[in-house]
Amino acid sequence: MLDFLGTLERTHTCGELRAQDAGKSVVLLGWVNRRRDHGNLIFLDLRDRYGITQVVLDKELSLAAHAKAEQARPEYVVAAIGKVRLRGKDVVNPKMETGEIEVVASEIRILNDAKVPPFSPAEEAISNEEVRLKYRYLDLRRAEMQHNFEVRHKVTMAVREYLSQQNFLEIETPFMTRSTPEGARDYLVPSRVHAGTFYALPQSPQLFKQILMISGFDRYFQVARCFRDEDLRADRQPEFTQIDLEMTFPQQETIFRMVEGFMKAAFAAVGIALPTPFPQITYDEAMRQFGIDKPDLRLPGLTDVKEIFSASDLATLAIDPALPVVALRIPKVGELSRKERDDNRPLFDTRKGAKYIDDLKRLEKSFPNAVVKLRELTKAEEGDLLIIVAGDAATHIQASDTKSEGRLSEREIAVYSAAGNFRVELAKKYADRHGAFAVTEQVVASPDRRTGTVDGSAAFRPIWVTDFPMFEHDPETGKWMPAHHPFTSPHEEDMDRLTSDPASVRARYYDLAMNGLELGSGSIRIHRQDVQQQIFTALGMSEQEAKERFGFFLEALQYGTPPHGGIALGLDRLVMILAGASSLREVIAFPKTAKAIDLMVDAPTPVSEQQLRELHIRPVLKD
RNA sequence: GGGGACGUAGUUCAGUUGGUUAGAAUGCUGCCCUGUCACGGCAGAGGUCGCGGGUUCGAGCCCCGUCGUCCCCGCCA
């Protein structure tokens, strides 16, 4: 039989009571975490968001309460009414925050029972994700998940607080908006009122926030939900949250200072000191030094080692002399066996004409001096893994390769990114050996974060990546495509090369990366209609076409648009880093599977004929 | 769209070269137990080996297909 709550009110949470509360009469309400039944003596561990407190039932002291506790099972919801008692010296539990006390119950009320759960929220060991997602409410009861969402809340609050202090206004923008054929696939919402037309869920509030600048709001931000109908990854969900902001009259540095400010505040909110300002690197430098546009600074970058080989050496090794020769170094990995090296082969991308040398012993036999110089240049220490990456001479530079004064060509990028991706893969694989990632885990797990502030300078390595190329070359169509959305402003001094040498044009576009993860990106926008038109022209988009796609926006641009710019940061990814999680699903309350299914509510589902008819939709199903 | 890993008790997993009655731990149920805290002891229940087809005297194991979960490429900022 279940009991009524009656007028009972909670006096303390289950994580609150300490030695100095001994003697107090208390009412605890919570879930049965565990029950230890010793016959005439029963221990109930009562759990809520705040912690766990041991409740004792002594048959001799209270027969009725003891009898109730006998019926209690894991995840029952229970009220314990009684007195706080200091535990005897030999039964103090130092592993529990409330371990110095216990509550001697005079009355137990079972407020609700529970089916036997498919897995226990009391266990730390995690069940398989399919089960976790189906029974998400049980999964979310686990201490780890409760902690993740506390982190998420604190980070969000700190960001809101900081931006609000800096005069930013939080303004909401529509979920039901207009489909724009740029970027990702849209999620569509059919209109009932207008047959055959659709709203789209926003991939980001991009155009709205720019229009808010035109509207004179000066500083806008939003904790904004975004929707993209693309295939998922561990760090990609179909709906995700961005800290989206935009401001008028900014220099790039103005935006950096804002973001650094709220990042520092967000980290401080969870007890981590993050030094500012963040370092900066240009896109080209990032590619040269890390082979990737989201460098992980916790490990050494690439080293240019072309000089260690003579021209004839390069020829002997079948290395293309026109392309970069770089070394990657992973500390403390030790010498790899033949088998280990074989196993690593699939991690290297040879598709775009890059190759690598990982057998230094063999190299040393023919080129002893080169290896000596290699060790010098890379500052390698004993036991560091060194691998040389270069262009394969057998793959000839194709006519489509993009050569432009001062910029990296496609094939150069191919070599750098093959090296950069290999570096990342090997770093993941040998994480136990180099220990650079463990530093982050230690800070995340540090208990000192609750009481004070932990130094996060080695564990969290943010970096601004600036001056991305304005255009990307599409080898299939031979056309120049916008590397970002087409409202990104080019550098003013590169404007005259828009059509003559598009590859050389730098965008006023920047990314914030941290620990090898892209946290966010933004840009200084185009505020002049004539410049916008030039960009469309450079992209081969006719005036007519531009009007059809973005007419409303081009119209707005003509009514006194101030210079403006902004950024959007992935809140989920930020929280993921701070929670030490390896998937976004750990920091999103109700996430979707890799096939974009919600296993708990079972969505998506078919809908009734009637609903479809009202929406003027007829499904076309493949057999 | 493509590649890979996995799918056996509620859960986590083992299951030999294809062989007779599919195991362990944990959870669950019952009984016992006054200082446990992952309590302990005894007894017990619990299986469509994801699903469908095939090979075979015989399939959890081999083959084909299919579904689901995860990771990656493509895609996506």
Side-chain angles (χ1 to χ4, degrees):
Chain A
M1 270 296 279
L2 297 182
D3 302 307
F4 290 112
L5 178 62
T7 57
L8 216 53
E9 283 191 73
R10 168 164 87 176
T11 62
H12 298 79
T13 69
C14 297
E16 201 177 342
L17 294 170
R18 294 291 183 276
Q20 63 263 28
D21 297 304
K24 284 186 183 161
S25 292
V26 298
V27 177
L28 297 185
L29 291 158
W31 286 265
V32 174
N33 200 55
R34 282 203 175 83
R35 185 181 62 119
R36 291 177 296 281
D37 187 344
H38 290 226
N40 290 330
L41 191 70
I42 298 173
F43 299 97
L44 285 184
D45 287 344
L46 230 53
R47 182 196 71 233
D48 64 15
R49 204 182 113 191
Y50 306 92
I52 294 173
T53 300
Q54 174 168 287
V55 177
V56 200
L57 288 302
D58 191 327
K59 200 170 189 174
E60 282 180 14
L61 294 178
S62 176
L63 196 63
H66 180 273
K68 278 282 176 196
E70 267 184 331
Q71 296 167 31
R73 292 291 178 274
E75 302 311 309
Y76 278 29
V77 183
V78 160
I81 302 149
K83 272 214 166 84
V84 182
R85 178 170 75 187
L86 275 180
R87 294 200 197 181
K89 265 200 187 121
D90 45 338
V91 289
V92 163
N93 185 349
K95 284 184 285 184
M96 287 174 79
E97 293 192 53
T98 59
E100 285 187 289
I101 53 94
E102 61 196 354
V103 170
V104 186
S106 52
E107 185 186 348
I108 292 287
R109 292 186 200 174
I110 295 181
L111 303 176
N112 216 338
D113 56 11
K115 286 173 72 173
V116 174
F119 60 93
S120 168
E123 299 287 337
E124 254 179 65
I126 316 171
S127 176
N128 77 57
E129 269 209 85
E130 216 170 331
V131 184
R132 286 178 60 198
L133 289 174
K134 182 168 182 199
Y135 299 93
R136 190 58 161 177
Y137 35 88
L138 296 177
D139 189 38
L140 291 173
R141 282 182 198 170
R142 292 168 42 235
E144 189 188 335
M145 295 303 270
Q146 300 253 322
H147 171 257
N148 288 356
F149 286 94
E150 191 180 328
V151 167
R152 187 173 179 128
H153 169 77
K154 283 179 172 167
V155 165
T156 313
M157 290 300 284
V159 170
R160 281 206 162 99
E161 179 72 16
Y162 181 86
L163 290 175
S164 179
Q165 274 172 10
Q166 300 291 324
N167 267 341
F168 283 80
L169 294 185
E170 183 163 18
I171 301 173
E172 289 166 275
T173 53
F175 272 10
M176 294 203 301
T177 178
R178 188 193 157 86
S179 175
T180 53
E182 300 293 313
R185 261 187 296 274
D186 287 319
Y187 278 101
L188 295 177
V189 180
S191 162
R192 173 184 58 82
V193 182
H194 304 281
T197 64
F198 297 82
Y199 302 93
L201 303 181
Q203 295 175 24
S204 81
Q206 185 60 37
L207 290 177
F208 285 106
K209 71 174 174 178
Q210 290 193 240
I211 285 181
L212 285 171
M213 293 305 102
I214 301 174
S215 311
F217 278 107
D218 186 61
R219 293 182 167 194
Y220 140 95
F221 86 101
Q222 186 180 189
V223 179
R225 189 64 64 82
C226 305
F227 305 86
R228 289 176 194 164
D229 186 4
E230 296 293 346
D231 288 339
L232 280 60
R233 290 284 189 282
D235 61 352
R236 268 164 34 192
Q237 281 276 309
E239 49 180 311
F240 59 98
T241 305
Q242 286 188 341
I243 302 162
D244 190 47
L245 68 87
E246 193 80 6
M247 56 202 297
T248 48
F249 314 122
Q251 294 297 330
Q252 189 167 288
E253 295 292 324
T254 321
I255 290 164
F256 289 2
R257 293 298 92 76
M258 284 303 156
V259 173
E260 286 160 2
F262 78 61
M263 286 287 285
K264 195 183 191 74
F267 275 70
V270 293
I272 297 169
L274 187 68
T276 52
F278 302 159
Q280 297 181 23
I281 191 171
T282 64
Y283 169 82
D284 280 10
E285 267 312 298
M287 292 310 292
R288 284 195 189 95
Q289 291 184 27
F290 298 95
I292 198 162
D293 61 3
K294 43 182 181 180
D296 192 333
L297 304 188
R298 292 173 299 178
L299 285 167
L302 307 173
T303 312
D304 179 352
V305 295
K306 202 179 214 170
E307 64 184 84
I308 69 173
F309 294 118
S310 68
S312 68
D313 290 348
L314 292 176
T316 312
L317 291 163
I319 287 173
D320 188 331
L323 291 173
V325 180
V326 295
L328 68 90
R329 172 168 78 91
I330 315 267
K332 299 176 197 160
V333 171
E335 198 173 321
L336 295 187
S337 68
R338 171 68 191 271
K339 182 181 184 323
E340 280 177 308
R341 282 188 275 124
D342 281 349
D343 289 346
N344 289 338
R345 288 182 92 104
L347 302 178
F348 187 85
D349 183 0
T350 55
R351 284 177 300 182
K352 287 180 179 160
K355 60 190 272 183
Y356 70 96
I357 303 169
D358 62 352
D359 192 347
L360 291 194
K361 277 202 168 160
R362 193 166 152 205
L363 186 71
E364 206 161 17
K365 280 179 194 155
S366 318
F367 308 94
N369 290 335
V371 174
V372 170
K373 272 193 265 176
L374 172 71
R375 293 191 186 284
E376 263 173 41
L377 286 174
T378 56
K379 302 189 178 76
E381 290 180 24
E382 195 59 36
D384 289 2
L385 172 65
L386 286 176
I387 293 175
I388 295 170
V389 178
D392 189 349
T395 313
H396 296 291
I397 292 183
Q398 288 153 13
S400 80
D401 193 28
T402 52
K403 281 167 296 225
S404 175
E405 193 58 32
R407 300 292 302 204
L408 297 174
S409 75
E410 269 181 63
R411 282 217 59 203
E412 285 173 320
I413 288 177
V415 173
Y416 283 127
S417 58
N421 290 326
F422 203 29
R423 168 181 174 267
V424 169
E425 291 299 327
L426 294 172
K428 273 190 222 162
K429 184 165 176 179
Y430 299 117
D432 290 347
R433 304 194 196 168
H434 61 68
F437 300 161
V439 177
T440 308
E441 286 160 32
Q442 278 159 23
V443 170
V444 166
S446 168
D448 301 338
R449 285 204 291 125
R450 271 177 300 173
T451 46
T453 305
V454 178
D455 175 21
S457 58
F460 301 98
R461 301 292 302 273
I463 184 167
W464 291 109
V465 183
T466 63
D467 300 331
F468 276 74
M470 186 78 186
F471 302 103
E472 261 168 15
H473 192 245
D474 184 341
E476 277 177 31
T477 62
K479 268 188 164 181
W480 289 96
M481 307 281 291
H484 330 286
H485 60 71
F487 312 106
T488 300
S489 172
H491 273 261
E492 286 167 8
E493 60 268 36
D494 294 353
M495 290 270 308
D496 54 351
R497 296 196 303 274
L498 275 178
T499 43
S500 61
D501 185 11
S504 75
V505 178
R506 294 163 300 159
R508 297 170 78 185
Y509 182 97
Y510 34 84
D511 270 7
L512 178 61
M514 182 183 272
N515 295 1
L517 210 63
E518 184 199 307
L519 269 191
S521 46
S523 61
I524 302 297
R525 327 294 180 187
I526 297 167
H527 62 277
R528 277 167 42 174
Q529 216 264 345
D530 59 329
V531 175
Q532 187 66 67
Q533 196 53 59
Q534 284 183 59
I535 297 296
F536 284 144
T537 307
L539 294 172
M541 199 191 294
S542 71
E543 207 165 324
Q544 181 63 28
E545 202 180 340
K547 224 174 220 166
E548 274 168 27
R549 291 187 180 187
F550 310 108
F552 71 100
F553 185 69
L554 296 177
E555 173 88 8
L557 271 184
Q558 297 174 60
Y559 287 91
T561 301
H564 62 286
I567 193 166
L569 268 88
L571 174 66
D572 316 87
R573 285 186 183 174
L574 176 58
V575 175
M576 182 171 119
I577 291 185
L578 283 172
S582 54
S583 152
L584 282 190
R585 294 183 298 277
E586 303 301 309
V587 297
I588 293 175
F590 304 104
K592 292 176 178 60
T593 68
K595 289 242 170 81
I597 302 239
D598 184 325
L599 288 176
M600 186 182 74
V601 305
D602 186 25
T605 60
V607 295
S608 71
E609 286 275 330
Q610 166 73 10
Q611 273 176 297
L612 288 177
R613 217 174 306 128
E614 281 180 350
L615 295 169
H616 322 285
I617 286 180
R618 192 182 307 136
V620 183
L621 295 174
K622 275 184 268 178
D623 297 308

